Amino acid sequence: MTTNEVKRLNTADTVINRNLDIKQDCRQIIDTLAAQFLTFQRVSLETGEWRPLVLSSYYSDMMKKCKTWDELIPHIEEYIHPDDRKHFRETVCTRNIREKLTDAGYMEIEYRRLIKGEDLAGFHYGWIYAMVIRSLDSRGKPSNFVTMTSQDVTALHREIETRTRAEENNRLLEDALRMGNLLSDSHRYPERRMMALKILGEMQGADMVRIVKVTHSGADDYTMESVETWHKNNLVRSQDYRLAEIDRSGFLPVLKDLINGEIIDTNWAGDPFHYQKYLPKIHATNLKHTILMPIKFRNGNFFGYLFVCNPTRELVNKTVLEMITLYFSLACENELEQQRIERMSYYDAITSVYNSNAYADYLHAAHGRRRPCGCIFIDVNGLHEYNHMQGHIAGDEMLRTIAGVVRTTAKEGKTYRIGGDEFLVIYEDAAAMHVERDARRIRDMVSDSGFSVSVGFAYDPACGNVEALVKLADERMYADKNLFYQQSGLRQRE
């Protein structure tokens, strides 16, 4: 109801009180307009007396016998929501109305009160909009009377809440789609994964969001590793929630539910949730509310989970969280696939050391740089004959054995397989004596394993041409190979 309609009611009631001839017409106005109210009553600011025109069904005979408005307020409070009673009492008491409405005007208040349900089966708390208007006397001056009205606006509140919830869900959905766009190519641009974590943390109002990788070590043994973490306002490490503090044995039931694809929402400060007892040490930190979201691949394999700390509960939307879980799952799966492809591109399939592609990339990156550099060129002796006599499976095992020796001996360098039977170790910023030492050890340790290699090494304290250095080591390796065949009496392949 508008203020003008209330004023018309006010005027009609004043006419009736003055007992004018148009009293019947005014009564019809009151009956028509007052039908929109739950209550419609007048209160004297001078004496505090109240006179009802329209009353709700909850007004008891005892309430109707109250002489003054302030005497009636405690009875009305019994029907008002406990959280709203103090505000109602302080707002509508006669003293406050007299202070606030010194001139002709009005004041408003909203509160929750028990009202009859639509099916009339019982009462429920609904939203009430009440208005207090200062009446005017016959001279147009503020009178000592106020008109009080109340209306049920529960439906309006529900409409607003529904609209607000829809707007909030749309915003969450937009944020989720932004994360999906970022994560769609995060395997190529890793920084976008952190951007997505930031969006998730901010949209949930969280203190921290972390991607946790879980590795199954056998039976009920799992290890957990933090992959990436976003902190609100760069939260200092002393306030961090460290994985090391998780009681891993107790966490197992939680982990099994995650593996089954469940999103776990734990409100530590609210109702006791049975997962709470599984994280006693983390509970001792500043953790109040946790969301754990499983990261699973399309083939059903479990990668880990998203760990959301202290989200704002009002912003938690399970449907959106399920979308986000899917986006992060696809992102982690794509990243592992990217790593597998890169490994195939840059690592030798047989020996697992770097391959010729990786060596070519290194040469490109090192072009034009001047720094101490050393290299060891290694050629396997008799690989062709060994393959012919023992078979290629045995030959592959021979290469794996030699590669393992080279890699464990030359830990300061990077090992490449650049040909069928050729390996290369490149050192940066290493001492010449270390390169020479490793070259001799490689020859001796390969010999101890039952095989033979020819070795050549080179070193330049200010190398600006790695290819020239490798060529020098290659020439020295061939000199060593010629010596091997001379001493062994074996026939060297052309």
Side-chain angles (χ1 to χ4, degrees), residues 227-243:
V227 176
E228 195 154 16
T229 304
W230 170 85
H231 291 92
K232 177 182 179 182
N233 298 327
N234 296 319
L235 199 67
V236 294
R237 290 293 171 181
S238 61
Q239 296 175 324
D240 196 3
Y241 311 104
R242 292 174 292 278
L243 288 172

Side-chain angles (χ1 to χ4, degrees), residues 128-271:
I128 303 299
Y129 169 76
M131 181 182 290
V132 182
I133 297 181
R134 187 78 178 260
S135 302
L136 299 178
D137 60 19
S138 58
R139 294 170 299 172
K141 301 292 185 180
S143 72
N144 285 323
F145 289 90
V146 292
T147 302
M148 296 183 179
T149 63
S150 63
Q151 290 176 277
D152 181 0
V153 291
T154 305
L156 178 61
H157 268 263
R158 286 175 180 167
E159 181 182 344
I160 294 173
E161 288 175 2
T162 301
R163 190 185 310 123
T164 302
R165 193 179 301 113
E167 290 173 354
E168 182 62 34
N169 286 338
N170 286 338
R171 188 187 66 79
L172 293 175
L173 185 59
E174 288 175 1
D175 285 341
L177 292 174
R178 285 171 59 206
M179 277 184 273
N181 289 333
L182 288 169
L183 292 170
S184 63
D185 55 1
S186 61
H187 55 287
R188 289 194 294 268
Y189 306 100
E191 68 277 5
R192 296 189 177 183
R193 185 173 60 191
M194 177 58 78
M195 293 168 65
L197 286 177
K198 181 176 183 291
I199 294 174
L200 175 58
E202 291 178 346
M203 74 180 283
Q204 296 297 329
D207 286 342
M208 183 195 79
V209 181
R210 169 174 289 162
I211 298 176
V212 180
K213 181 180 180 182
V214 178
T215 304
H216 187 199
S217 306
D220 287 338
D221 186 18
Y222 294 86
T223 58
M224 284 171 273
E225 172 190 358
S226 175
V227 176
E228 195 154 16
T229 304
W230 170 85
H231 291 92
K232 177 182 179 182
N233 298 327
N234 296 319
L235 199 67
V236 294
R237 290 293 171 181
S238 61
Q239 296 175 324
D240 196 3
Y241 311 104
R242 292 174 292 278
L243 288 172
E245 295 179 341
I246 291 180
D247 181 354
R248 282 175 169 75
S249 60
F251 189 62
L252 189 58
V254 182
L255 196 56
K256 288 184 175 179
D257 283 348
L258 286 169
I259 291 172
N260 289 332
E262 292 188 26
I263 294 178
I264 297 174
D265 185 351
T266 304
N267 184 13
W268 300 89
D271 50 5

Side-chain angles (χ1 to χ4, degrees), residues 310-429:
N310 293 339
T312 304
R313 176 167 283 278
E314 289 75 11
L315 296 180
V316 175
N317 183 301
K318 188 173 182 180
T319 302
V320 174
L321 291 183
E322 288 174 348
M323 286 181 59
I324 295 169
T325 298
L326 175 61
Y327 289 145
F328 274 96
S329 296
L330 292 174
C332 290
E333 184 175 0
N334 290 339
E335 184 171 347
L336 288 182
E337 180 64 15
Q338 180 77 7
Q339 291 173 0
R340 187 185 71 82
I341 293 172
E342 288 180 356
R343 185 166 185 83
M344 291 175 61
S345 300
Y346 291 101
Y347 287 85
D348 179 57
I350 296 175
T351 63
S352 296
V353 300
Y354 289 113
N355 60 17
S356 56
N357 291 333
Y359 174 55
D361 280 359
Y362 170 76
L363 290 178
H364 178 75
H367 181 73
R369 294 187 310 196
R370 284 198 169 273
R371 63 196 306 174
C373 185
C375 64
I376 304 174
F377 206 109
I378 304 152
D379 188 277
V380 179
N381 294 325
L383 175 62
H384 177 75
E385 291 79 7
Y386 194 81
N387 279 333
H388 183 71
M389 295 173 60
Q390 303 293 333
H392 286 280
I393 294 178
D396 290 347
E397 188 60 37
M398 174 188 185
L399 289 171
R400 277 192 284 270
T401 299
I402 294 173
V405 170
V406 173
R407 190 165 45 191
T408 55
T409 304
K411 292 180 180 180
E412 294 182 48
K414 288 186 176 180
T415 303
Y416 301 84
R417 184 186 177 198
I418 57 174
D421 55 2
E422 295 175 334
F423 294 89
L424 178 67
V425 182
I426 296 181
Y427 298 79
E428 288 188 342
D429 302 321

